[in-house]
Amino acid sequence: MLKIAVLVSGDGSNLQAIIDSIENGYLNCSIEAVISDNIKSFALQRATKKGIPIYVFPKKEFGESIGDEILKVVKGNVDILVLAGFLSLLKGEILKKFEGKIINIHPSLIPLFCGKGMYGEKVHESVLKSGVKITGCTVHFVDEKVDGGAIILQKAVPVYFEDDVKTLKERVLEEEHKILPEALKLLSENKIFIKDGKVQIV
Ligand code: GRF
């Protein structure tokens, strides 16, 4: 069984999608830890309700060393780290120790609307401002570049003229909640390989 840790900063709807996918038998995974950089993250309540161990390393206190603290928790206990709305950047040793074993969900079609400073609602604001008619979401591996690792899965979502951030975010989240569990399922079944910086699904 794939052992995962889920890193969160906010609402945790993606964490909930993983929990639901495990409970309904879609995913053969166990969530060993939910880790947050924000004590106010509602995701922590979702985890506590399910008896999942939680760890909090507040951003202000830990700053750039947060990756080292997380590594202490997950080393030897976890196969995959899932960044599900986690707003701190992981740096240093953890990226080496978990190379090819950290995935992130991003609310746009990478390489569009991503990179430094492009997170949360800012992504949807930029999408709406640009006038594009299609956006979406991406699950990708994490490396030292922000939103730069190999792309695992993407799903396109239409953008309507009448959309605001709330309606667009909801439509994108609906797809996020499908492709994040799907990516974990593929990983748990050893169906994902990285070749020349690209993901091959077998
Ligand atoms: C999602 O849109 C995710 O793509 C982005 O942050 C948001 C987190 O939402 N990285 P939630 O906390 O899972 O509800």
Side-chain angles (χ1 to χ4, degrees):
M1 188 189 291
L2 195 72
K3 290 182 179 177
I4 65 170
V6 185
L7 278 55
V8 293
S9 299
D11 180 52
S13 68
N14 279 289
L15 166 67
Q16 192 64 52
I18 297 170
I19 293 172
D20 294 346
S21 300
I22 293 171
E23 289 186 347
N24 69 25
Y26 176 75
L27 264 183
N28 186 23
C29 264
S30 80
I31 306 176
E32 301 294 313
V34 167
I35 302 171
S36 183
D37 58 358
N38 174 13
I39 186 74
K40 292 185 182 149
S41 170
F42 183 64
L44 294 171
Q45 293 186 40
R46 296 182 192 265
T48 306
K49 203 173 157 194
K50 296 291 174 186
I52 302 166
I54 59 168
Y55 300 83
V56 184
F57 302 109
K59 208 172 180 167
K60 273 192 188 152
E61 204 175 315
F62 290 92
E64 293 213 342
S65 70
I66 194 162
D68 299 334
E69 295 305 317
I70 294 172
L71 186 56
K72 287 180 203 162
V73 174
V74 296
K75 204 173 158 189
N77 304 319
V78 163
D79 304 309
I80 298 284
L81 300 182
V82 182
L83 276 52
F86 185 62
L87 293 180
S88 291
L89 283 181
L90 294 180
K91 290 185 177 173
E93 199 58 16
I94 193 164
L95 293 180
K96 287 187 201 138
K97 288 272 185 300
F98 277 81
E99 194 181 351
K101 295 181 186 309
I102 310 178
I103 65 170
N104 179 49
I105 177 99
H106 183 79
S108 78
L109 293 174
I110 289 175
L112 294 174
F113 306 103
C114 62
K116 205 163 176 250
M118 197 58 96
Y119 59 87
E121 296 194 345
K122 290 184 185 183
V123 177
H124 303 304
E125 278 164 19
S126 303
V127 163
L128 289 171
K129 211 171 162 192
S130 76
V132 293
K133 298 297 183 194
I134 294 170
T135 183
C137 47
T138 303
V139 181
H140 64 94
F141 283 108
V142 171
D143 60 15
E144 67 290 343
K145 300 182 288 297
V146 180
D147 299 327
I151 291 168
I152 303 171
L153 291 174
Q154 292 187 302
K155 188 73 199 261
V157 168
V159 183
Y160 301 124
F161 184 79
E162 298 75 19
D163 270 332
D164 55 23
V165 168
K166 188 170 175 285
T167 56
L168 184 58
K169 180 179 162 182
E170 274 171 16
R171 196 175 308 119
V172 173
L173 271 175
E174 209 173 300
E175 298 307 325
E176 292 185 35
H177 298 161
K178 294 177 194 159
I179 64 168
L180 187 55
E182 191 182 341
L184 279 170
K185 189 176 173 68
L186 291 167
L187 281 167
S188 72
E189 294 169 348
N190 291 316
K191 289 183 171 167
I192 292 180
F193 296 89
I194 306 177
K195 283 185 188 160
D196 301 327
K198 292 194 286 186
V199 162
Q200 181 183 27
I201 299 173
V202 294

